[in-house]
Amino acid sequence: MPVPTFWRRSEVSIAAMSFRRKTILGIALIEAALLLILVGTGLSFMHQSNEQELIKRATTTATLFATTTKNAVLATDLASLESFVHEVMKNSGLVYARVRDMDGMVLAQAGDTAALTRPFTADQEVDDATDGVLDTYAEIRVAGTTYGRVELGLSIREIYEALATARQWVTVIAVMEMGLVAMFSFVLGTWLTRQLRSLKQAAEQVAGGDLGFQVPVKGRDELAQTAKAFNNMSHRLRHFNDELEQRVAQRTEELVQTQQQLQIDLERRRKMGEALRQEKQQQRELIRKLEQAHNQLLQSEKLASIGQLAAGVAHEINNPVGYISSNLGTLEEYQQDLFQVLDVYESLEPLLQYEDGALQRIHEIKQAVRLDHLRQDVRDLLEESQQGVTRVRQIVEDLKDFSHTDEGEWAQADLHQGLESTLNIVSNEIKYKAEMIKEYGELPLVFCQAPQLNQVFMNLLVNAAQAIEVHGVITLRTGSEQDWVWVEISDTGQGIAPEHLKHIFDPFFTTKPVGSGTGLGLSLSYGIVEAHGGRIDVDSKLGKGTRFRVWLPVRQGTEDRREAVG
Ligand SMILES: Nc1ncnc2c1ncn2[C@@H]1O[C@H](COP(=O)(O)OP(=O)(O)O)[C@@H](O)[C@H]1O
Ligand SMILES: [Mg+2]
């Protein structure tokens, strides 16, 4: 069931009230309630007792007055009665006094005229005295016989005045009391709240991070105990915090160590990976070398078989080429002789004029065979044949060289010297085609077959010159690296097409027009360099140029040398 709004609001406002105000308010309320009850009951009690007192006094006074006046009434002594009446009126609070005989006749009276003129009605209670006078009477009796009565009127104003005074006093005292209590509760509230405030400040201090903060403890009351509990809590908080920090530091340290370990592991893994990669690289290199070796083996197998073939062919061709060449020489001489004879005949032609028909026939034959043309053509044909034979001889010579790459003298040689003499031989081929640049390095003496190597250098130089179409540069470089020397011949020629590159060392591979290349130069060179335990590297860019680098070992392995020499 929902709580009514006004109640909730007041609840909230009470909750929002300061502790001191609540204390003051609470005490004031209690005080006011208590005072209300006290004053109420006190005043009502006072009222009652005053009324009873008045009635009692009225009765007593009336009885006493009756006794006093008894004799005078019996004797009808009016003078005494008069004096008694006046005497009794001296009592304070009496409004009137009257004495009547048994018939109700007034014997004597005194007091307030207005009160005396009113008809007498006895009041039983103070409340009955509506005219402000309590009317009472007492009968004068002697031995059971009534001789008369006294009537008295007592003012009730006095008790009301007394009550008013009393109420005034009570009010003053109550106000003073409330003032004192308010002051006291203010002081108490202030004192309590001060303690509480210091506790609150301390709590804020702790909340702000000042763990272990202590509040001063005074006395042994509940507040002091609360302060003590607070101090204890603060102290323990600090303790826990310290412990926590220590633990965090420890954990951090552990984490750092773990991280370092991880780092180390990672580094080790990385190194392992690196090593593996290197190993893989080495394997790849090894595979590449194996492939190369395999190719070289194939190449040398090919070369060896072709070498044998070439040796046989060369031998077989050499003979006929020999006699064709010498026959051609002889034929040229004969042809010259024959033309000489013909010249003589021609000079004698005029003498044949008269011999009819003979000259005619000679002219006809001369025209039929086109003698003038024939004279020239025979010369050309012979010259061409001679050139052809020379070429065949050259090829045969190359073939012979090719089949005898592992023959020759082994000795320590200066490669620069060999290069220079080779350059002299090929200078004719080169000088119109290219500028020669020489960049010689330091070279040790190399154990080799010098003439064979010169053959290699020559082939490379001639190829370089032939690769240059109009004019270019040929660069000759040398150098050494540990136990190896190298000779490099590079040109600015047409370059080698990638698809040709793997064939250039094949015997009879040539891209040159028929008649100008045999295709044996590089395969021959390959064989020679291989016989020296070296290798040839090629690097070429189509349209830019080509670079051949011949690597040779400075020394030959003992067995190789023995084998080579033997
Ligand atoms: N320096 C070079 N520049 C361009 N091509 C070359 C070069 N050297 C060799 N070659 C190519 O290699 C082929 C084989 O050369 P080689 O064995 O000397 O035979 P040939 O010179 O008789 O053709 C040549 O026909 C040519 O295509
Ligand atoms: Mg060549």
Side-chain angles (χ1 to χ4, degrees):
M1 205 174 83
V3 183
T5 329
F6 72 91
W7 175 245
R8 238 180 357 215
R9 190 177 305 140
S10 72
E11 203 178 34
V12 164
S13 62
I14 286 170
M17 232 178 246
S18 81
F19 182 68
R20 185 167 61 179
R21 196 166 295 165
K22 268 190 248 180
T23 312
I24 297 169
L25 199 73
I27 291 175
L29 277 174
I30 293 163
E31 178 70 18
L34 282 177
L35 273 177
L36 222 64
I37 294 164
L38 203 70
V39 168
T41 48
L43 282 177
S44 116
F45 176 73
M46 212 159 129
H47 195 259
Q48 267 176 20
S49 64
N50 271 12
E51 277 179 3
Q52 279 166 8
E53 191 65 27
L54 190 71
I55 288 166
K56 211 156 125 195
R57 190 175 144 214
T59 316
T60 313
T61 313
T63 312
L64 209 68
F65 189 40
T67 312
T68 314
T69 54
K70 185 162 73 181
N71 290 333
V73 170
L74 285 177
T76 326
D77 180 359
L78 291 178
S80 295
L81 282 175
E82 196 65 29
S83 95
F84 282 146
V85 169
H86 281 102
E87 196 61 35
V88 85
M89 279 306 289
K90 284 179 184 162
N91 285 307
S92 69
L94 277 180
V95 180
Y96 67 89
R98 187 189 286 136
V99 185
R100 293 179 190 266
D101 63 7
M102 49 199 213
D103 302 321
M105 285 293 290
V106 176
L107 300 177
Q109 62 179 12
D112 186 62
T113 329
L116 285 173
T117 49
R118 277 199 298 265
F120 179 85
T121 343
D123 297 324
Q124 297 304 312
E125 299 284 330
V126 177
D127 290 347
D128 297 341
T130 47
D131 52 358
V133 180
L134 181 75
D135 304 295
T136 186
Y137 71 96
E139 291 185 332
I140 302 162
R141 289 155 123 353
V142 179
T145 311
T146 307
Y147 292 100
R149 67 177 191 174
V150 290
E151 291 172 2
L152 292 174
L154 267 88
S155 170
I156 56 168
R157 206 184 65 225
E158 266 181 34
I159 56 162
Y160 283 115
E161 272 174 8
L163 271 175
T165 314
R167 210 177 288 129
Q168 255 173 21
W169 271 108
V170 164
T171 309
V172 168
I173 288 168
V175 167
M176 269 167 63
E177 160 91 6
M178 279 187 63
L180 274 173
V181 164
M183 217 160 75
F184 172 73
S185 57
F186 177 80
V187 170
L188 182 72
T190 308
W191 181 75
L192 279 176
T193 48
R194 191 190 301 140
Q195 299 283 94
L196 283 175
R197 208 177 305 131
S198 87
L199 260 176
K200 178 185 158 227
Q201 277 167 358
E204 276 169 359
Q205 193 97 358
V206 169
D210 187 1
L211 299 180
F213 182 81
Q214 302 282 298
V215 283
V217 180
K218 279 182 227 134
R220 269 192 252 156
D221 58 9
E222 286 84 346
L223 272 172
Q225 278 167 12
T226 310
K228 252 190 209 163
F230 175 88
N231 284 349
N232 193 18
M233 179 200 73
S234 176
H235 178 75
R236 297 206 49 177
L237 264 177
R238 189 205 181 117
H239 176 72
F240 283 142
N241 190 58
D242 286 356
E243 215 166 77
L244 211 69
E245 269 178 6
Q246 206 175 332
R247 227 179 280 170
V248 165
Q250 200 178 328
R251 285 282 150 81
T252 311
E253 175 71 18
E254 279 170 16
L255 264 176
V256 164
Q257 272 180 6
T258 314
Q259 208 184 358
Q260 276 171 355
Q261 191 56 42
L262 266 175
Q263 199 76 32
I264 290 168
D265 277 4
L266 220 72
E267 182 62 20
R268 210 172 38 210
R269 292 255 168 95
R270 200 186 59 73
K271 275 187 183 153
M272 252 156 72
E274 186 65 30
L276 265 175
R277 213 171 303 126
Q278 269 180 9
E279 212 169 280
K280 215 165 153 192
Q281 181 70 28
Q282 280 171 356
Q283 279 176 357
R284 220 177 283 141
E285 180 70 12
L286 218 67
I287 288 169
R288 198 185 62 78
K289 277 190 179 154
L290 262 173
E291 252 168 28
Q292 211 176 6
H294 177 70
N295 281 342
Q296 280 181 357
L297 208 70
L298 273 183
Q299 193 77 20
S300 42
E301 280 290 321
K302 222 173 349 179
L303 283 178
S305 49
I306 285 170
Q308 280 176 354
L309 187 81
V313 171
H315 183 72
E316 286 305 317
I317 291 174
N318 224 14
N319 243 5
V321 163
Y323 60 75
I324 288 171
S325 179
S326 78
N327 284 2
L328 278 175
T330 317
L331 264 178
E332 200 175 4
E333 280 169 28
Y334 287 174
Q335 167 250 331
Q336 277 171 7
D337 291 350
L338 275 173
F339 279 140
Q340 250 176 11
V341 173
L342 207 62
D343 286 347
V344 174
Y345 276 126
E346 276 186 334
S347 67
L348 292 177
E349 264 178 21
L351 300 179
L352 293 174
Q353 268 175 6
Y354 49 90
E355 189 91 26
D356 231 322
L359 192 61
Q360 184 66 29
R361 266 196 72 200
I362 289 170
H363 272 274
E364 277 172 13
I365 290 170
K366 265 170 116 177
Q367 256 170 358
V369 300
R370 290 163 67 206
L371 188 68
D372 290 343
H373 177 256
L374 190 142
R375 268 177 192 274
Q376 185 55 40
D377 218 24
V378 164
R379 214 173 286 134
D380 287 352
L381 286 175
L382 276 173
E383 201 176 315
E384 220 170 82
S385 300
Q386 198 62 268
Q387 277 176 1
V389 168
T390 313
R391 254 196 75 62
V392 170
R393 208 183 241 147
Q394 178 65 45
I395 292 170
V396 168
E397 213 46 49
D398 279 357
L399 278 175
K400 266 161 84 184
D401 283 347
F402 183 77
S403 54
H404 298 296
T405 47
D406 48 8
E407 285 172 11
E409 285 285 307
W410 284 83
Q412 299 275 3
D414 178 1
L415 292 191
H416 285 151
Q417 237 172 43
L419 277 171
E420 283 301 312
S421 55
T422 309
L423 275 175
N424 278 337
I425 297 167
V426 295
S427 70
N428 252 343
E429 296 246 12
I430 294 175
K431 67 182 171 197
Y432 302 110
K433 277 292 203 54
E435 183 193 341
M436 251 335 281
I437 296 177
K438 286 186 269 186
E439 291 173 12
Y440 288 166
E442 290 278 321
L443 284 189
L445 290 181
V446 177
F447 190 71
C448 65
Q449 292 172 301
Q452 303 270 20
L453 289 184
N454 290 346
Q455 180 71 46
V456 172
F457 302 144
M458 193 170 78
N459 286 338
L460 295 178
L461 284 167
V462 169
N463 278 349
Q466 285 174 346
I468 293 168
E469 267 153 285
V470 187
H471 199 268
V473 181
I474 297 174
T475 313
L476 190 54
R477 285 195 193 89
T478 61
S480 62
E481 236 169 67
Q482 289 166 356
D483 284 344
W484 290 77
V485 295
W486 52 266
V487 175
E488 188 185 285
I489 291 152
S490 54
D491 61 68
T492 57
Q494 63 200 17
I496 305 169
E499 68 269 23
H500 290 160
L501 209 58
K502 52 179 173 290
H503 296 301
I504 57 172
F505 293 109
D506 290 351
F508 304 110
F509 175 82
T510 180
T511 56
K512 288 164 194 171
V514 181
S516 49
T518 60
L520 284 172
L522 282 183
S523 59
L524 183 67
S525 305
Y526 186 94
I528 294 168
V529 172
E530 199 190 36
H532 280 76
R535 66 171 201 273
I536 305 177
D537 291 346
V538 199
D539 193 5
S540 183
K541 265 207 185 91
L542 205 59
K544 287 269 158 90
T546 308
R547 190 186 67 187
F548 281 91
R549 187 178 267 210
V550 179
W551 286 90
L552 293 164
V554 175
R555 281 175 286 277
Q556 294 294 316
T558 351
E559 304 134 71
D560 290 348
R561 207 180 330 164
R562 213 181 294 134
E563 208 176 87
V565 172

